[in-house]
Amino acid sequence: PPPAVTGWTPRHPQLGEYNECVICVTEQPAVQMIYSDCDALYCLTCWTEYLSTQVKDGATDIACPAPGCSRLFDDQVLRSFLPQADLQRLQHFRTEGFVSASNSMIP
């Protein structure tokens, strides 16, 4: 099972034996689901793929993909689920964005 993270857990008291993933809309066993604070449920495959895709696309802040939710995932969540290469890429994009913003402030 995935690591437990504040606001994210592989189990939730309201989960049934099988639950629907918000992203792929398929029924998955509860042990393969991630439950969020906004009550969205994700299968581990969609969850990790979503995070990795966001990083590969250059996102520096990653928001919950659930309809109507704008919650941003904190770094603790990202560190718990992203592979090291994606974490390094994320840090690169963040640093690049900071340097770019700083340079635009110089007269």
Side-chain angles (χ1 to χ4, degrees):
V5 178
T6 304
W8 299 88
T9 178
R11 302 290 293 195
H12 183 268
Q14 302 301 320
L15 294 182
E17 188 175 340
Y18 286 85
N19 300 277
E20 188 175 276
C21 172
V22 169
I23 298 173
C24 67
V25 197
T26 61
E27 293 278 319
Q28 302 287 333
V31 296
Q32 296 178 5
M33 302 295 288
I34 299 295
Y35 168 82
S36 75
D37 286 342
C38 68
D39 293 331
L41 292 167
Y42 308 98
C43 67
L44 288 174
T45 301
C46 287
W47 172 245
T48 54
E49 194 171 305
Y50 171 75
L51 294 177
S52 286
T53 299
Q54 291 296 301
V55 171
K56 288 174 184 161
D57 287 348
T60 55
D61 293 313
I62 302 174
C64 179
C69 184
S70 59
R71 179 182 187 273
L72 294 177
F73 302 128
D74 63 28
D75 285 349
Q76 180 182 3
V77 170
L78 300 177
R79 281 191 302 271
S80 296
F81 292 97
L82 284 171
Q84 190 61 36
D86 285 345
L87 288 170
Q88 290 172 343
R89 185 177 287 122
L90 176 65
Q91 186 58 46
H92 171 77
F93 289 139
R94 286 178 173 175
T95 302
E96 193 175 83
F98 176 77
V99 169
S100 178
S102 295
N103 286 340
S104 68
M105 299 170 90
I106 298 172

